[in-house]
């Protein structure tokens, strides 16, 4: 049974845990990589890339988008609509 631990609450970590569990259940655990300490993951997440590098990445990926990414072209919310009703 999979018990949710604080490390498995994000999408990426949960995918890794599921993959590893499946490998063990199928007798393929020898194909898994060597386990590394969780502190390495934390260090990489905190120290791996600067804020400027993140900003540059997203500006390059999303810089040419010049309109809101709203579903179905919706530009008004219910809160906005409720305030404008007479």
């Amino acid at each position: 049974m999979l018990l949710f631990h604080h490390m498995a609450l994000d999408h990426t970590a949960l995918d890794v845990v599921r993959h590893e569990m499946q490998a063990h259940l199928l007798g393929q655990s020898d194909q898994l990589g060597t386990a590394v300490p969780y502190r390495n993951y934390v260090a990489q997440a905190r120290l791996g890339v600067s804020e400027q590098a993140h900003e540059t990445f997203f500006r390059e990926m999303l810089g040419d988008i010049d309109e809101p990414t709203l579903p179905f072209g919706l530009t008004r919310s219910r809160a906005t609509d409720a305030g404008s009703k007479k």
Side-chain angles (χ1 to χ4, degrees):
M1 173 183 270
L2 175 63
L3 296 176
F4 284 92
H5 188 272
H6 68 279
M7 294 185 305
L9 291 178
D10 67 48
H11 176 71
T12 302
L14 185 55
D15 284 347
V16 170
V17 169
R18 285 183 180 157
H19 171 74
E20 291 177 352
M21 287 174 60
Q22 184 177 19
H24 281 285
L25 291 171
L26 296 173
Q28 301 170 348
S29 57
D30 57 326
Q31 296 177 13
L32 295 173
T34 305
V36 295
Y38 183 68
R39 67 179 173 269
N40 293 8
Y41 172 77
V42 173
Q44 181 180 359
R46 296 195 66 200
L47 304 173
V49 179
S50 69
E51 184 176 335
Q52 180 61 39
H54 283 293
E55 185 172 333
T56 300
F57 171 80
F58 283 104
R59 285 191 188 278
E60 288 174 3
M61 295 296 291
L62 306 172
D64 61 339
I65 296 174
D66 58 0
E67 61 185 54
T69 56
L70 301 170
F72 314 111
L74 299 174
T75 58
R76 294 172 32 176
S77 71
R78 286 185 183 202
T80 303
D81 290 343
S84 63
K85 290 185 180 180
K86 295 179 181 172

